[in-house]
Amino acid sequence: MVRFVIIALVVVGFGMLAGWLADNPGGIAVDWAGWRVETSIPVVAAFLFALVLVSAFLFWLWGLIAGGPGRLGAIFRGGRREKGYRALTEGMAAIAAGEAQVAVRAASRAEALLDSPPIAKLLRAQAAQLAGDEDTAEEYFEAMLKSPETELVALRGLLIHAGRAGDHQRALELAARARALRPGATWAVRALFDLQVGAEDWDSAIRTLEAGQRSGVYDKGLVIHRKAVMETAQALRLEAGGDLKAAIAKAADARKHDPDHVPATVVEARLLAAEGSGRRAARHLSDGWKRTRHPEIARAFLDLKPSETAKDKLHRFDGWDTTANDHPEGLLVRAQLLLEAGDIAAARDAAERAIRFADVVDQRFCRLMVQIEERAEDGAARAREWLVRLSESPAAAHWECDHCGEVARDWAPRCPHCDQFDTLHWRHPHASTEPVTLVEARPAAETARPEPVTVEVH
């Protein structure tokens, strides 16, 4: 709108000037070199205007002629760039589709057309990796390290190459460099942590884990748990090396970091008992038992004095866990101890109460009932019934690897079968939803046809 108004004003101005010159034509006479020229003012104005137009045209024409080669070069270079970027697009699509040869050809064209930019080097390296040409891929990744724009992705490519080649030390150096370059890069932090764990460099792995929490790669709960796992691993290594005091300190750190990490509690208690601090061991086990009711903790407590009699163990257990009659795991331990002490009736009562309270009635419960009935007078029929239930009941909870699915007898920081870190977890097989039928104990005269008492287990 403003431009239109300006143009209109200019046109009106020229019109007014032309009208004024027409009303006041005037005259001009010029004498020069024997010549005399006489003309009017409007003619002179028209001549000057035409001269300005011709001069402007000649100036434009000269610029066009002088700058022609440069413009033609720019047009040509623009065409090369367009072809180069088209080759890049084709190469990236080929990488995504897994077409190695197409990607290699496209990468070569892009390099030639775009004068080897960093992105073309990346495409060439990825194409070489896809084609299995690891040496060429490494060469291009090494070249990309010199460019700040592609240094991080080059480090990742070289890290993958080092991993495939089994060069653990080189992989560690690359992962550390990548993490230093970009502390928040998830892949760099995780790779460095995994490599440090693989080397069992627990101190460095803990520092990397904590740095990963600060940069948002790991959440707090995972960091707490894995620190406890690694500190427990350190305690086991120190114990194997004969440094009992340092091993106890590490196990204590693990228990404090994650009080629910059962292996830390069990390892610390065993080490304390070896040092002669049985009371401290029992106290820490008691805290862990109240938190988790884990059977490994109960076993560790009973193993504190392996030479004592069953009655002494029962007495010590009753003093250690005053709420045993309110939890199926505590009742199960009491029932076993009562059976070993020879109190069959009390053992049966405790076992049946454990079954009533249990969410999952596994083979431990049924096996204990078989043992109780086999030692009871005229309990053979009930023992056979419990043997049938034993064959149908789920297996007891155990340490099972999340990665390979194998069962381990004892906990370890790394699976003894697949060597994966922190994959052993205590879990229960899928439990049946069918109710468990308890066989009521009766006098000998009534054992011919025992009447079942059905209890729903939720």
Side-chain angles (χ1 to χ4, degrees):
M1 184 64 182
V2 174
R3 184 180 297 177
F4 175 76
V5 171
I6 292 174
I7 293 173
L9 291 174
V10 171
V11 171
V12 170
F14 273 110
M16 292 177 65
L17 178 61
W20 181 80
L21 290 174
D23 292 339
N24 302 279
I28 294 178
V30 178
D31 291 317
W32 182 66
W35 293 83
R36 182 179 177 81
V37 179
E38 294 182 357
T39 185
S40 64
I41 296 297
V43 173
V44 173
F47 174 76
L48 292 173
F49 182 71
L51 182 63
V52 170
L53 290 178
V54 171
S55 299
F57 173 75
L58 292 174
F59 182 78
W60 172 80
L61 185 61
W62 169 253
L64 183 65
I65 294 171
R71 286 190 175 87
L72 289 174
I75 293 171
F76 179 70
R77 287 192 299 272
R80 284 177 62 86
R81 280 198 301 271
E82 182 179 351
K83 291 178 181 178
Y85 287 123
R86 191 180 302 125
L88 278 178
T89 303
E90 180 184 347
M92 290 176 180
I95 291 288
E99 298 178 324
Q101 296 304 319
V102 175
V104 170
R105 290 196 296 271
S108 299
R109 288 202 310 274
E111 277 191 287
L113 292 169
L114 297 176
D115 197 21
S116 294
I119 188 68
K121 286 187 174 67
L122 172 60
L123 178 60
R124 187 70 179 84
Q126 289 183 327
Q129 270 192 334
L130 186 62
D133 188 354
E134 294 292 342
D135 292 337
T136 301
E138 184 178 14
E139 177 185 342
Y140 275 91
F141 281 129
E142 289 286 356
M144 290 164 58
L145 287 176
K146 301 173 184 178
S147 174
E149 295 86 357
T150 56
E151 183 180 5
L152 187 65
V153 70
L155 288 169
R156 185 172 190 179
L158 290 170
L159 178 61
I160 294 172
H161 176 75
R164 289 174 178 172
D167 191 344
H168 187 87
Q169 185 58 39
R170 172 69 169 157
L172 261 174
E173 293 170 359
L174 292 166
R177 180 174 169 181
R179 202 278 304 269
L181 182 66
R182 192 74 59 81
T186 299
W187 67 267
V189 176
R190 292 183 184 277
L192 181 59
F193 175 77
D194 290 342
L195 288 164
Q196 289 166 339
V197 165
E200 296 191 357
D201 185 358
W202 304 120
D203 288 327
S204 297
I206 288 173
R207 288 194 294 271
T208 299
L209 195 68
E210 292 171 339
Q213 180 185 353
R214 291 192 294 272
S215 60
V217 176
Y218 297 114
D219 61 57
K220 184 178 180 181
L222 179 65
V223 170
I224 289 172
H225 168 71
R226 286 197 165 173
K227 281 180 67 175
V229 171
M230 288 186 283
E231 286 165 342
T232 307
Q234 287 177 304
L236 291 172
R237 184 165 63 186
L238 289 165
E239 179 191 15
D243 193 345
L244 194 59
K245 289 185 180 296
I248 292 172
K250 280 297 179 185
D253 288 341
R255 178 181 54 81
K256 290 172 185 175
H257 282 137
D258 186 2
D260 292 333
H261 184 51
V262 170
T265 303
V266 172
V267 168
E268 183 193 20
R270 188 184 72 247
L271 295 172
L272 286 170
E275 189 193 39
S277 302
R279 290 186 178 180
R280 282 179 60 198
R283 185 168 65 250
H284 294 322
L285 286 170
S286 178
D287 293 340
W289 175 253
K290 290 174 183 175
R291 294 180 66 90
T292 64
R293 299 291 182 175
H294 200 285
E296 295 271 294
I297 293 181
R299 186 174 70 180
F301 172 76
L302 296 176
D303 288 344
L304 290 177
K305 295 182 179 181
S307 61
E308 66 183 353
T309 66
K311 289 184 178 180
D312 289 337
K313 285 187 177 183
L314 177 61
H315 178 72
R316 185 160 58 89
F317 180 78
D318 286 341
W320 180 68
D321 182 16
T322 57
T323 61
N325 287 330
D326 298 328
H327 194 277
E329 290 295 337
L331 284 164
L332 193 64
V333 174
R334 283 198 84 249
Q336 185 68 51
L337 293 173
L338 285 164
L339 176 63
E340 292 174 6
D343 193 341
I344 305 302
R348 180 190 290 114
D349 179 67
E352 291 180 348
R353 282 172 56 82
I355 290 172
R356 290 188 179 96
F357 289 153
D359 293 325
V360 177
V361 179
D362 57 45
Q363 292 178 357
R364 296 176 304 156
F365 295 83
C366 296
R367 187 177 295 110
L368 180 59
M369 289 301 300
V370 170
Q371 294 171 352
I372 290 171
E373 297 303 343
E374 284 179 341
R375 294 182 61 177
E377 293 184 8
D378 301 319
R382 292 189 297 274
R384 285 192 295 272
E385 291 193 28
W386 279 111
L387 279 171
V388 173
R389 291 178 176 84
L390 173 63
S391 66
E392 297 171 350
S393 61
H398 48 241
W399 295 110
E400 183 176 306
C401 178
D402 292 337
H403 184 260
C404 67
E406 292 291 333
V407 175
R409 178 179 177 182
D410 298 305
W411 178 88
R414 298 167 71 168
C415 174
H417 300 281
C418 65
D419 205 38
Q420 293 296 307
F421 172 71
D422 190 29
T423 55
L424 288 179
H425 294 99
W426 187 263
R427 61 166 51 97
H428 212 294
H430 181 68
S432 171
T433 56
E434 295 296 322
V436 175
T437 303
L438 295 179
V439 180
E440 184 180 1
R442 295 177 178 273
E446 301 180 25
T447 56
R449 297 180 58 85
E451 296 292 330
V453 177
T454 303
V455 177
E456 296 289 339
V457 178
H458 302 286

